[in-house]
Amino acid sequence: MSQSLKRLIRLVGPQKRRLIASCALSVIGTAMGLVPFILIYLAIIELMEPVVNEAYIWKLIIGGIAAILLKFVTMALSGSLSHIAAYNILYDLRIRLAEKLGTLSQGYFNTRNTGEVKSTMNDHVEKIELFIAHQLPDVTAAAMVPIFTAIFLFIVNWRMALATMAVIPVAFLVLGMSYRGLGTMLEKYYKSIEKLNSTVIEYTQGMAVIKAFNQTVDSFARYRNSMEEYRDFLWKWSIQSVPYWTLFMVLITANVLVILPAGVWLYNAGSLSMADFILFFMLGLGLCEPLVKLTTHGEQFAEVVEAEKRINGILTEKPLSEPERAKAPSGFSTGLLNVHFGYNETEVLHDVTFSVPQNTVTALVGTSGAGKTTIARLIPRFWDVRKGEITIGDCNIKELPTTELSSLTAFVFQDVFLFNETIYENIRMGKKGVGEGEVIAAARMAHCHEFIESLPNGYQTIAGERGAKLSGGERQRISIARAILKDAPIIILDEATAFVDPENEDLIQDAIGKLSAGKTLIIIAHRLSTITEADQIVVLDEGKIVEKGTHQELLKAGNMYRRMWEAHMRAQDWKFET
Ligand SMILES: Nc1ncnc2c1ncn2[C@@H]1O[C@H](COP(=O)(O)OP(=O)(O)OP(=O)(O)O)[C@@H](O)[C@H]1O
Ligand SMILES: [Mg+2]
């Protein structure tokens, strides 16, 4: 809690001046709210005089109106200042979070669900707004004003002041009881929200499948379960805290019941004037409101602390390690040496070793799930190997600065991801600062210029979420154009399994040829006929290399590759029997 508070204070540092001004204005504004009570008190004293000074009463009324106006102005200013400060801080925080996410390994996203990251970026950051824009000024005022009031009341009549305050400690004691275990409760609360978030994301992203298989919300059990869990949790929580909370509310407003007998007694004893008696009634009630406010903020503050912890969790996550002394690769040969790797406890790559000389083509083939894509992902360090090493130009890739490594490799993914941006921007992200000419040249080489031109808005057409508005083959070619533009010396190509219509295949083959001319190429191929010319074919099975060689050598050896080849040939000859 105290660590979180320290971090929160550090967070608001850059907006310190605005926030101090906001808090000061908020205190003034809230204090102004008490002025009318005091003016009424003075008016009553005056009305009890034998000769009433009417002009004085009018002055008091005008004073009251002025106080209310001033309250309005100071509160509005305070709110504006705190909101400006809050949104500036939130903006910086979101940028910092996004930048941080960019430095983390893919492994981070693999072990967490998208709901968790989304919750932090959106909801938890929003909670910080609550703290800065509302709690800081409100809590300062809600704490200062009762203190001012109490001092004032003690000056007027210390015995009555004690009576007015008597129930407050009892009320807070009760409240303290309701806060027991709040920390763990909130942690559970956030967990269930995160779960809810990720199932909602999954539900909407998987809508096509859900429809195609005629599923309903009801049968999408995970969604229903997480909703139920959330509901049950809140239900239990309410039952636990409501009695205490209600008792607190009753007690905090019950001071009137103490003021009344104490007042009557002191009045009869002659040590309390009627005007003072009335004053204690009014301010006694006026005292409750800020105190109630303070407690609601207390509860919300616990939420802010929990949210801050999660934000801090991302900000302090260890990024992909950078080398202490950066090395420069001597060339672009690439190799794996005794590599072991697993996404979790189960190892999926076992002792994989092979090397790809500069400017040659190596094909990775093997059954589905053999670990081909995994190998491809390890080369640009989406994940770090568990054992063994990966080298580029005789340097361990961990000894290359991550930006350098990223500029050395271009990746065409098995499942192409396009941003919901123009096609132009989707291609252009291959390389910073290139002009239209280069983008179009790359698109031409990747055989997508013609179809892009034929779209209603040409290069300015929005690709749709995840590229949904384009066909699979078109997306593949756009991603090849992106890689051509990047012009990296090492190309890793994870061939898509679908889009096998012959025309598209020819176009893609030709595009790949242009992309990889004069480059070091690692290609994961599903159609063996496309890689017969490769300098080396590496055959994988269940995370192990079972064979290495050229097409001819492997055919001659007569092992797994030969069997795969024969199966492939049979599939080519396969005809629809009539
Ligand atoms: N993100 C991931 N998290 C956990 N396990 C994974 C992940 N990606 C793949 N795996 C597992 O790792 C193993 C190898 O998967 P990989 O994607 O490398 O296979 P592949 O050879 O590319 O298969 P395909 O030909 O079907 O694309 C599989 O058992 C798979 O279930
Ligand atoms: Mg794969």
Side-chain angles (χ1 to χ4, degrees), residues 17-76:
R17 285 213 204 116
R18 277 202 182 105
L19 287 169
I20 290 175
S22 162
C23 291
L25 284 166
S26 168
V27 172
I28 295 172
T30 316
M32 283 300 125
L34 293 175
V35 169
F37 292 114
I38 296 166
L39 296 180
I40 293 170
Y41 164 63
L42 294 176
I44 291 171
I45 294 179
E46 182 60 27
L47 288 171
M48 285 175 174
E49 294 291 320
V51 188
V52 174
N53 180 347
E54 224 175 278
Y56 176 61
I57 301 275
W58 276 112
K59 267 188 204 152
L60 293 179
I61 293 173
I62 292 169
I65 295 171
I68 288 172
L69 279 178
L70 193 60
K71 178 180 177 180
F72 168 72
V73 173
T74 48
M75 288 308 234

Side-chain angles (χ1 to χ4, degrees), residues 334-368:
T334 306
L336 275 76
L337 188 65
N338 304 114
V339 167
H340 290 256
F341 176 76
Y343 293 97
N344 37 44
E345 300 75 48
T346 22
E347 196 174 274
V348 294
L349 292 180
H350 320 287
D351 202 22
V352 172
T353 302
F354 67 89
S355 57
V356 184
Q358 183 166 339
N359 294 351
T360 63
V361 177
T362 290
L364 298 180
V365 301
T367 45
S368 183

Side-chain angles (χ1 to χ4, degrees), residues 103-106 318-322 380-384 402:
T103 69
L104 300 178
S105 80
Q106 265 320 101
K318 248 175 71 196
L320 212 55
S321 68
E322 290 283 346
R381 281 187 78 194
F382 290 171
W383 275 270
D384 275 334
T402 48

Side-chain angles (χ1 to χ4, degrees), residues 277-343:
F277 195 2
I278 296 172
L279 175 76
F280 275 97
F281 254 118
M282 289 188 301
L283 287 186
L285 279 175
L287 208 56
C288 301
E289 195 202 291
L291 289 177
V292 170
K293 231 183 190 177
L294 209 55
T295 58
T296 14
H297 281 307
E299 201 162 302
Q300 284 175 349
F301 185 65
E303 287 180 34
V304 172
V305 165
E306 199 53 44
E308 193 281 335
K309 271 191 205 153
R310 273 141 210 272
I311 293 170
N312 190 55
I314 291 188
L315 289 177
T316 53
E317 187 71 34
K318 248 175 71 196
L320 212 55
S321 68
E322 290 283 346
E324 278 174 20
R325 273 220 249 103
K327 283 192 179 173
S330 59
F332 306 120
S333 60
T334 306
L336 275 76
L337 188 65
N338 304 114
V339 167
H340 290 256
F341 176 76
Y343 293 97

